[in-house]
Amino acid sequence: MSKLKFQKPKGMRDIFGEDQEYLDRIYEVVKKISTFYNFQKIDTPILEETELFSKGIGLSTEVVKDQMFSFKTKGGNNLTLRPEGTAPIVRAYIENGMKNMPSPSKLWYFGPMFRYEKPQAGRYRQFLQFGLETLREEGVVRDAEIIAIFYEILKRLKIKNIIVEVNSIGSSCCRPAYIQNLSKYLKSKKQYLCPDCIKRLKTNPLRVLDCKNEKCKMISSQAPKLIDNLCKNCHKDFKELLEFLDELEIPYTLNPYLVRGLDYYTETVFEFFSIEENLQEESKKLALGGGGRYDLLVDLLGEKREGGTPAVGAALGVDRVIELMKENKIEIRKKQKAKIFIAQVCALAKRKSLKLMGEFLSARIPVLESFGKDSLRAQLKMADKSEVEYTLVLGQKEALEGVILVRSMSTGKQTKVKLDKIVQKIKKMLK
Ligand code: HAM
C-alpha cells in the first residue's frame, strides 16, 4: 500500500466507533463514583514546566530520563507534555492555595498523558488516564478508599478476576538504611545483573527489584526484602491497610518486589491487574492502574508544612481498560436508538426540518436525517434501512401548509399532522 501523505504520530491513535462507546462508558462510571466519594474534578494544562516532572518524578526514573516529550518555547521556557497527572495536581494544589480549603482535598482528573515509549499493545505515546488524588489527611483509610474505588470502578466495567498487588516501600525513616543494605547485596552479585541494572545500582537500586530480566529476578529473589525491614510505624500502617482490604473483601496479593517507576512514593504502593492478563508471560504483564502514597511530594515541590502534607492517589490506564473490555466482548448499554427519520424535499422543507431537529432535541427524542440528500426515494430507502418506527416527510406543499406527513414504517399508513403539534404527537405515539 502506498504511504499516505499524512499519518498520525507513531504510538498515538484515533479513538472512534466502538472504542468511543467504551470510552464514554468508562467516563460515565468514573465520574459517578468519584463524585459519590466527594472528589472534585480538576483539569490541568497538558503542558507543564519540565522541572516539575524532573524534580517530582525523579531524574533517575525511566519516565524522566527517556520518555518525556520536552521542548523549548519561543519565549525560552522548557515545557513538557505531561507524562502523568500527580505532579501537575500537586503543583495546582500549591499554586491555588488549596491548603486553606476544607480538608482533605479530594481531586479527580481524566485526560491524555504522553510518554515516549516503544509503541506496542497497551503501550502508547499518548494515552488516557483517570486519576484520584487525596491530599492533606493522615491515615491509611484514604489509601484503602482509593483502592476500594478503583476496585469498584473495574467491577462496574465488568472486568473479571481483578487483583491488587500491594507492597510498602517504607519512608525516609526506614528506606535509606534498607537501600544501603540492598546495594551492598546487589554489588556482591553485580556480575549477574543486566546492563540496565548495573546502572540502576548507582542511580536507583530499588528499581533492580522489579527488573523483568530472568537473571536479575533470580538475584532479587534472594535479596533482603524491604517489607521485612520496615520501621515500626510503616509496619503498623501496612498491617492496617491489609486489615482494611480484608474487611472490604478486595482480592490482593503481597508483592515485595513492587516498587513502581516513579520516585515520589512512600509506604503504600499498589497495582491493579486482571488475572486474564496475568496469564500472559510475566514480562508482558501490564497493569490496568497503579498508585500509592506520596507524603513528601508537596514538600519537595515547594510547600513546606509542619508535619508534611500526607497524600495518596492512583491512576487508571483507560486505553488498557478499553482493550480489555473489547477483548472480553463486554456488553455496554448502547445509546438510545433513533425511532424517527425526517425526510425533506425542498429548500423550505430543509429549513423547517433543521428547526424541527432542535425541537426534538428539547423533547429528548433521537432523530435521524439526511439533510444532504434531495431525492425522496433515497431518503426513504435510508429510513427503511435504519429501522425507525416512523418517517416524517416534509415536501414543499406540506411546508407551505404548515403540516407534515407521518408514515408508520410497520403498516405503511400515512397521516397528516400540523407542524407545530408534531413533537407532542410523536411523543404520545412512542409511549
Ligand atoms: P503509572 O503506573 O505510571 O502511575 O501509570 C498509571 C497507569 O497508566 C498504568 O498502570 C497504565 O495502565 C497506564 N499507562 C502508563 N503508561 C502507559 C502507556 N504508555 N500507554 C498506555 N497506558 C499507560 C502514574 O502515572 C501515577 N501518576 C499514578 C498515581 C496517582 N500515583 C499516585 N497518584
Side-chain angles (χ1 to χ4, degrees), residues 63 67 83-87 109 113-118 120 122-133 146 150 260-262 264-265 270-272 286-294 312-321:
V63 172
Q67 300 178 346
E84 61 104 49
T86 309
Y109 53 95
M113 307 291 158
F114 303 83
R115 292 184 194 176
Y116 195 85
E117 295 210 59
K118 192 167 164 227
Q120 49 190 291
R123 231 178 256 288
Y124 303 103
R125 288 184 177 173
Q126 175 174 341
F127 56 98
L128 286 160
Q129 274 190 354
F130 151 74
L132 295 176
E133 313 289 348
I146 300 251
F150 270 60
R260 310 261 308 131
L262 313 159
Y264 47 63
Y265 291 111
F270 54 87
E271 271 178 352
F272 277 86
L286 289 177
L288 295 175
R293 183 155 275 289
Y294 51 95
V312 59
L316 189 72
V318 174
D319 306 76
R320 291 185 188 175
V321 177

Side-chain angles (χ1 to χ4, degrees), residues 62 197 200 204-213 216-217 220 255-262 271 282-283:
E62 269 151 44
C197 281
R200 285 180 188 131
N204 199 346
L206 217 50
R207 294 278 296 158
V208 175
L209 296 180
D210 73 354
C211 177
K212 302 292 182 272
N213 177 296
C216 298
K217 266 165 59 182
S220 293
N255 178 356
Y257 305 109
L258 179 67
V259 293
R260 310 261 308 131
L262 313 159
E271 271 178 352
E282 181 74 8
S283 60

Side-chain angles (χ1 to χ4, degrees), residues 325-386:
M325 289 173 85
K326 251 168 74 173
E327 230 170 81
N328 294 339
K329 302 194 170 49
I330 291 174
E331 286 208 14
I332 45 173
R333 200 174 2 96
K334 295 270 183 223
K335 288 208 187 78
Q336 205 186 347
K337 236 180 121 184
K339 292 182 176 153
I340 305 292
F341 190 100
I342 302 182
Q344 39 65 44
V345 270
C346 70
L348 176 64
K350 217 175 264 214
R351 288 202 293 276
K352 295 222 180 269
S353 301
L354 190 56
K355 190 163 171 224
L356 209 51
M357 279 296 279
E359 290 167 29
F360 276 115
L361 169 72
S362 305
R364 296 175 192 224
I365 301 175
V367 177
L368 293 175
E369 48 72 28
S370 58
F371 293 153
K373 289 201 168 46
D374 291 329
S375 137
L376 184 62
R377 240 183 101 205
Q379 294 184 65
L380 292 180
K381 221 166 147 187
M382 272 186 74
D384 222 26
K385 264 200 195 150
S386 56

Side-chain angles (χ1 to χ4, degrees), residues 62-80:
E62 269 151 44
V63 172
V64 170
K65 260 191 332 177
D66 309 320
Q67 300 178 346
M68 298 217 294
F69 283 90
S70 303
F71 62 96
K72 213 180 192 98
T73 65
K74 283 182 191 160
N77 298 323
N78 291 311
L79 297 184
T80 292

